[in-house]
Amino acid sequence: MRRRLAAELAAARARTRSLTHGVFAGDDPDFTHQHSPLMSPFHWDLAHIANMEDYWLVRRGAPDTDLVTGVREDIDHLYDAFTNPRAGRPALPLLDPAEARVYGDRVREKALEHLEAGSFDERRTLADGFVFSMIVQHEQQHVETMLATHQLRAGAPVLHADPPPPSVVPGLAGTEVFHPGAQFLLGTSTETAALDNEKPAHPVTVADFWLDAAPVTNGEYARFVDAGGYRDRSFWSEAGWDHITGEGWTAPMTWEQVSQEDGTRRWHRTSFGVREAIDEVADQPVLHVCFHEAAAYAAWAGKRLPTEVEWEFAARHDHATGTTRRYPWGDEDPTPERANLDQRHLQPAPVGAYPAGASPLGVHQLIGDVWEWCDSGFEGYPGFEPFPYKEYSEVFFGGDFRMLRGSSFGVGTPNARATFRNWDLPIRRQIFSGFRCARDV
Ligand SMILES: [Fe+2]
């Protein structure tokens, strides 16, 4: 387990570097600039990752003692995400890029010493190496956030990756899979890496429903846009309509109409600085839509969004045996053949590109590619216990959030659990969000 955790820490740090000082020289203004008020400057994320690791692994992860002195306790207040909303972070007296890099390296050195020397058995935070796994996941979550910052950054492309694999299942878009209702074990009590809001496992009863076999594609979404979907009030909730009309939204976040030589206009998107015709990525899941846009599309299509419970039921219930799987394909960890994760490709793969990752009933790409909006709010499961701190989940329960499931191409493998619960405001679309539709029987 120590070796696995050390490898996961190293993999997370390699991704962090690939988005920060790996692409920007120390004095590059892109490194310290705030690219959007929704995001932090890269050097804030870099030092925040280190500060969280300092707090949990250096100070609280030492063998045989509850608390040791951290590497930099004097800067905790600058990197506390709760007391420093994103918009105000650039004005703080932050570590400069070189200092942030050194801080991260020193913290990591001490954290690895503790990992090597520590015991995983006595304290609850350390049992099964939980707090080390939590810090791996925390860094991976910030990597995904930094990837979203890169998406919002203007200018020439600085990130590069291989294109995703092609579809090998033609005709998948728009098809539906019938899910016979059953009793099912939602959440987990056995995943050692699970965060508090995924626990405990508990039985729920799910009614029959239909679920799209794949996420809604750019091609399908373009038909909704071109049919006047953003101008027809009847498809939108009141909050959704107020938001899109207030913001002047007429298409997903990165889309624009580009005039062609023949006088026509075609939809294009910009993906990490590269402009592409939507026609050429028509079979990829639509990306960068908010909950309201997803719900409006579903209404236009005569469908609805799945609930969070339906989503996890589709991803984990094995109808043949009546048991709950870890992943749609079974209990083994994700591999590059099963899911588009780890920013291996800088975009979602076309639907039908991962037949090895499909569920037993034939639902594709539940893990990886795009986060999928679900029509559920954020609540604790029955028997929920905050752990290891209330601010991880509990303070968000009951707020104006909608759930996102399944992880995106920017999610790290250690975070890509079928039980993982993500949440955001229904107006947010700078995240790597898409959706699939469901339908009552
Ligand atoms: Fe954080």
Side-chain angles (χ1 to χ4, degrees), residues 99-393:
E99 291 169 330
R101 205 163 52 230
V102 169
Y103 179 40
D105 291 349
R106 285 194 55 207
V107 167
R108 177 55 55 90
E109 231 171 86
K110 288 210 178 302
L112 290 176
E113 280 170 24
H114 291 173
L115 177 63
E116 204 46 55
S119 153
F120 289 159
D121 306 321
E122 289 155 25
R123 279 160 288 169
R124 193 171 159 215
T125 47
L126 290 172
D128 300 314
F130 172 78
V131 81
F132 287 88
S133 171
M134 182 184 85
I135 287 302
V136 165
Q137 295 179 66
H138 177 257
E139 181 159 358
Q140 289 279 7
Q141 283 178 296
H142 276 273
V143 169
E144 190 186 18
T145 305
M146 289 191 288
L147 198 60
T149 308
H150 270 280
Q151 182 74 292
L152 294 166
R153 179 190 149 265
V158 293
L159 301 180
H160 306 281
D162 290 335
S167 177
V168 290
V169 186
L172 193 63
T175 62
E176 297 173 293
V177 176
F178 177 66
H179 286 70
Q183 200 185 69
F184 147 76
L185 209 54
L186 182 75
T188 178
S189 299
T190 52
E191 290 284 341
T192 53
L195 301 164
D196 60 1
N197 62 54
E198 300 165 62
K199 301 192 260 192
H202 59 287
V204 294
T205 303
V206 184
D208 296 355
F209 66 104
W210 292 88
L211 186 67
D212 287 356
V216 170
T217 63
N218 285 320
E220 293 177 288
Y221 200 85
R223 284 198 284 284
F224 164 63
V225 176
D226 291 338
Y230 280 72
R231 297 190 301 273
D232 189 334
R233 168 79 184 78
S234 68
F235 302 129
W236 299 81
S237 66
E238 196 177 323
W241 184 251
D242 287 351
H243 192 74
I244 65 153
T245 52
E247 295 289 323
W249 289 357
T250 59
M253 184 182 84
T254 62
W255 289 27
E256 62 185 325
Q257 291 242 282
V258 179
S259 299
Q260 306 297 295
E261 280 178 11
D262 63 5
T264 60
R265 287 158 70 75
R266 283 171 77 195
W267 285 111
H268 284 64
R269 72 169 185 195
T270 301
S271 177
F272 298 99
V274 180
R275 195 196 258 172
E276 299 161 314
I278 289 299
D279 295 349
E280 278 150 31
V281 289
D283 58 354
Q284 281 186 15
V286 68
L287 185 62
H288 295 304
V289 288
C290 75
F291 172 83
H292 296 306
E293 291 170 295
Y297 174 94
W300 172 79
K303 300 184 183 181
R304 60 174 174 81
L305 296 177
T307 65
E308 195 189 5
V309 175
E310 287 170 333
W311 189 97
E312 190 171 318
F313 179 71
R316 299 184 64 211
H317 186 68
D318 184 344
H319 292 262
T321 60
T323 55
T324 302
R325 300 171 152 210
R326 293 181 68 210
Y327 296 100
W329 55 81
D331 291 339
E332 313 85 44
D333 289 339
T335 61
E337 293 72 39
R338 293 182 177 125
N340 182 9
L341 296 166
D342 297 305
Q343 75 188 65
R344 201 177 296 118
H345 314 291
L346 285 172
Q347 49 192 305
V351 299
Y354 290 97
S359 77
L361 293 184
V363 180
H364 289 247
Q365 281 152 291
L366 285 155
I367 302 292
D369 294 297
V370 291
W371 286 107
E372 300 181 18
W373 284 110
C374 292
D375 195 1
S376 302
F378 191 26
E379 298 295 344
Y381 290 156
F384 169 83
E385 244 192 291
F387 179 74
Y389 58 104
K390 269 169 92 127
E391 287 77 14
Y392 186 77
S393 307

Side-chain angles (χ1 to χ4, degrees), residues 16 20 39-51 79 86 89 94 138 141-143 145-146 149:
T16 298
T20 58
M39 311 310 272
S40 316
F42 289 110
H43 69 314
W44 187 89
D45 279 300
L46 192 59
H48 167 79
I49 288 168
N51 188 242
Y79 296 101
R86 285 183 180 177
R89 290 174 189 171
L94 301 173
H138 177 257
Q141 283 178 296
H142 276 273
V143 169
T145 305
M146 289 191 288
T149 308

